[in-house]
Amino acid sequence: PNDYTDLEQAELVVLVGSNLAWCHPVLFQRVSAAKAANPKLRVVLVDPRRTQTAEIADLFLPLRPGTDVILFNGLLNYLRKEDALDLEFLDAHTEGFGAALRVAKETAASVPAVAAACGLAEDDVLEFYRAFARTPQTVTAFSQGVNQSTSGTDKVNAIINCHLATGRIGK
């Protein structure tokens, strides 16, 4: 049997609103083992609370509650500005992506604006954005902190838009 899956092959794992250590211990163990086996693997934790999961994170982003959409719209806008979009993928597999890019630009125009809105250090936001842009093998996992929020659909949409923008679906 093949023991290598998305988490084991990833070079960047982004955990959003998820305390894997307590709520998903099997996944936490898989990420921890993948990190131990692959020195290239970086883990970014996006969560207002510093939980036990932060112990395995290379970068912890304790964003202000309710600002996930701004953080990920900022990432989408950053990807646009850095010419990191997979235009062929977008053309073949999405509709209305121009509107998503426009909203991202309007709501999260710059790294300093995103950092201020989210209550984060500019350098940390930029480090996350650069890592996402430069790492094709990226997995983003979110949990109840995202999908059970009153704006959960918007948060999930903002995260998925970043993966669609880079064509990182099913790779």
Side-chain angles (χ1 to χ4, degrees):
N2 186 351
D3 292 334
Y4 297 100
T5 62
D6 48 2
L7 294 174
E8 287 74 19
Q9 293 178 28
E11 292 188 359
L12 177 65
V13 173
V14 183
L15 305 172
V16 187
S18 180
N19 183 8
L20 283 187
W22 288 9
C23 301
H24 303 284
V26 173
L27 286 179
F28 181 77
Q29 290 172 5
R30 281 184 54 204
V31 173
S32 296
K35 192 167 168 43
N38 180 3
K40 290 182 181 179
L41 175 59
R42 299 204 54 209
V43 174
V44 175
L45 176 62
V46 179
D47 196 317
R49 303 164 302 138
R50 182 174 199 88
T51 63
Q52 185 181 350
T53 303
E55 293 175 15
I56 65 166
D58 298 287
L59 178 63
F60 172 51
L61 298 175
L63 77 173
R64 186 173 289 125
T67 60
D68 310 63
V69 173
I70 293 170
L71 181 69
F72 283 94
N73 277 353
L75 174 57
L76 184 59
N77 193 45
Y78 177 86
L79 294 168
R80 179 192 61 80
K81 288 196 279 189
E82 293 296 312
D83 197 26
L85 304 180
D86 184 333
L87 299 177
E88 288 181 25
F89 181 89
L90 288 169
D91 188 48
H93 300 288
T94 68
E95 292 179 16
F97 211 82
L101 290 171
R102 186 176 59 257
V103 169
K105 184 177 179 182
E106 291 169 359
T107 61
S110 67
V111 169
V114 169
C118 295
L120 298 170
E122 287 181 32
D123 288 346
D124 289 346
V125 172
L126 189 56
E127 181 181 344
F128 169 49
Y129 288 1
R130 284 180 176 154
F132 193 99
R134 296 176 182 168
T135 311
Q137 291 152 303
T138 297
V139 171
T140 301
F142 53 86
S143 188
Q144 294 175 8
V146 170
N147 61 23
Q148 291 185 359
S149 121
T150 57
S151 58
T153 302
D154 293 335
K155 292 178 182 187
V156 171
N157 192 47
I159 293 166
I160 291 171
N161 282 346
C162 294
H163 283 271
L164 288 171
T166 55
R168 296 179 187 162
I169 303 294
K171 293 184 179 177

